[in-house]
Amino acid sequence: MNRESLKNCKRIVIKIGTNSIMQSPTKVDYQQIDRLAFVCSSIQQQGKEVILVSSGAVGVGASEVNMDEYPTEIAEKQALASVGQSALMNLYSRFFQHYGQYVGQILMTRDIINYPSSYQNCQSSINSLIEKNIIPVINENDAVSVDERNHRTRFGENDTLAAVVTELTEADLLIILSDVDGLYDANPHHDDTAELIPHVDEINAEILDMAGGAGSTFSTGGMETKIKAAESVMSLGKSMIITSSEDLNVIFDILAGETEGTLFRKYKKESVLKEEG
Ligand SMILES: Nc1ncnc2c1ncn2[C@@H]1O[C@H](COP(=O)(O)OP(=O)(O)O)[C@@H](O)[C@H]1O
Ligand SMILES: N[C@@H](CCC(=O)OP(=O)(O)O)C(=O)O
């Protein structure tokens, strides 16, 4: 499928997972944060509108307090998220400012889905940042969100959150940066013969069957939540790409219309008039 039209995307949500900004489960990758700041700032300064959905609160918190292992208990994760989220924003603020770009933090809970006034409020604060040429940096409010049967305010992973943000901001494209360069017909970490699927135009049972869970101790979503995010983005008539975070220049290539990762976009029939000439 032709990717040329991706050149015209104006508003882009970029989601980066914990895995992609850490050297190890408890060590931050500062070079990667620097490169991310450079790429996002460059795109913004080319006249596009970037919204960054970044995981990493818990991981950066674990790094800040010199933990040896990524935490597993909820209370501990929440405490570390409170340390890590402010440290993460501090890093983003400093690195982005180096490239002449301001960022603003928005922390969300699932309430925005259930309460229209929360949804609208969130939408207007994000839009207001965008109008001021500030890149919103969005994460879940991990320190307070809960997952109780009668009160669920937690997303738990950021693929779903990124799809919600894509809808909320009416963005044209969601780029999910992962530790894998796209959707394969089987988990490539378990099957050497797995092949990359360059384009998905419909989420059906076959695609759902290919998608497995998370690939590391500090990731939560895996391919399953990415496919669900794709389903939601495609239902809005928008596009989503899963690609590798290894070389962040890939974002420039995607926006230049080059074939990278897996593109999720509904097939649109070319105009009949055009065919008839
Ligand atoms: N069909 C598949 N194609 C690619 N990756 C898959 C597939 N099924 C499961 N996975 C797993 O999904 C992981 C990517 O998701 P995740 O672990 O949540 O990482 P991230 O935090 O980078 O989003 C891969 O590393 C891989 O282990
Ligand atoms: N909101 C959490 C995200 C947790 C998480 O693992 O997300 P992801 O890496 O996108 O699977 C954090 O910032 O630590």
Side-chain angles (χ1 to χ4, degrees):
M1 160 146 315
N2 192 341
R3 302 240 184 146
E4 282 288 302
S5 62
L6 294 179
K7 286 181 178 173
N8 303 327
C9 290
K10 165 89 174 158
R11 189 170 283 190
I12 303 134
V13 178
I14 297 175
K15 184 259 168 176
I16 191 152
T18 306
N19 231 346
S20 303
I21 58 161
M22 305 292 291
Q23 286 175 30
S24 71
T26 59
K27 288 278 164 292
V28 178
D29 186 342
Y30 297 101
Q31 272 188 11
Q32 179 76 332
I33 293 189
D34 185 19
R35 281 191 292 263
L36 182 63
F38 166 70
V39 174
C40 292
S41 304
S42 304
I43 294 167
Q44 180 87 3
Q45 286 153 21
Q46 284 163 11
K48 308 231 182 242
E49 294 164 339
V50 175
I51 297 143
L52 179 62
V53 174
S54 175
S55 309
V58 179
V60 174
S63 170
E64 285 287 297
V65 303
N66 295 316
M67 288 193 50
D68 294 326
E69 278 174 30
Y70 195 82
T72 48
E73 296 299 316
I74 291 186
E76 192 178 23
K77 278 189 180 172
Q78 291 193 303
L80 288 171
S82 80
V83 175
Q85 182 60 34
S86 52
L88 180 63
M89 275 319 290
N90 188 13
L91 287 173
Y92 279 134
S93 293
R94 285 195 281 134
F95 282 110
F96 274 84
Q97 269 180 41
H98 185 70
Y99 298 106
Q101 184 62 53
Y102 283 101
V103 292
Q105 168 183 271
I106 305 260
L107 298 180
M108 293 185 186
T109 59
R110 250 195 129 82
D111 279 347
I112 65 146
I113 298 178
N114 303 326
Y115 296 93
S117 59
S118 297
Y119 187 90
Q120 280 150 17
N121 196 31
C122 197
Q123 197 170 38
S124 35
S125 44
I126 297 178
N127 281 336
S128 187
L129 286 173
I130 295 172
E131 275 161 29
K132 292 177 173 49
N133 195 27
I134 298 169
I135 296 183
V137 180
I138 301 174
N139 196 0
E140 170 154 20
N141 194 345
D142 295 302
V144 299
S145 52
V146 290
D147 208 358
E148 310 211 343
R149 207 146 47 94
N150 57 354
H151 189 53
R152 189 165 173 229
T153 65
R154 191 161 173 256
F155 284 100
E157 42 73 31
N158 276 353
D159 298 322
T160 308
L161 176 63
V164 169
V165 169
T166 305
E167 176 168 2
L168 192 87
T169 57
E170 296 174 0
D172 306 302
L173 172 67
L174 166 61
I175 300 176
I176 295 202
L177 298 165
S178 182
D179 64 350
V180 66
D181 59 350
L183 172 70
Y184 282 71
D185 55 9
N187 187 336
H189 295 138
H190 301 159
D191 182 347
D192 289 346
T193 64
E195 286 186 24
L196 181 78
I197 301 172
H199 181 227
V200 172
D201 61 14
E202 185 195 10
I203 306 295
N204 51 30
E206 197 191 352
I207 298 290
L208 289 168
D209 277 353
M210 291 172 188
S216 67
T217 45
F218 46 102
S219 290
T220 39
M223 224 10 97
E224 278 168 26
T225 51
K226 290 174 186 40
I227 299 300
K228 294 220 172 87
E231 194 167 24
S232 143
V233 169
M234 287 163 88
S235 73
L236 303 168
K238 307 293 170 101
S239 307
M240 182 180 120
I241 287 184
I242 300 175
T243 192
S244 166
S245 61
E246 200 177 337
D247 177 2
L248 293 175
N249 286 315
V250 72
I251 301 175
F252 294 127
D253 299 338
I254 288 169
L255 298 176
E258 288 173 28
T259 306
E260 300 286 352
T262 303
L263 170 67
F264 297 82
R265 181 168 63 192
K266 272 194 194 152
Y267 175 71
K268 271 199 211 125
K269 199 169 178 288
E270 287 287 317
S271 160
V272 179
L273 292 174
K274 209 169 148 192
E275 278 171 21
E276 286 172 350

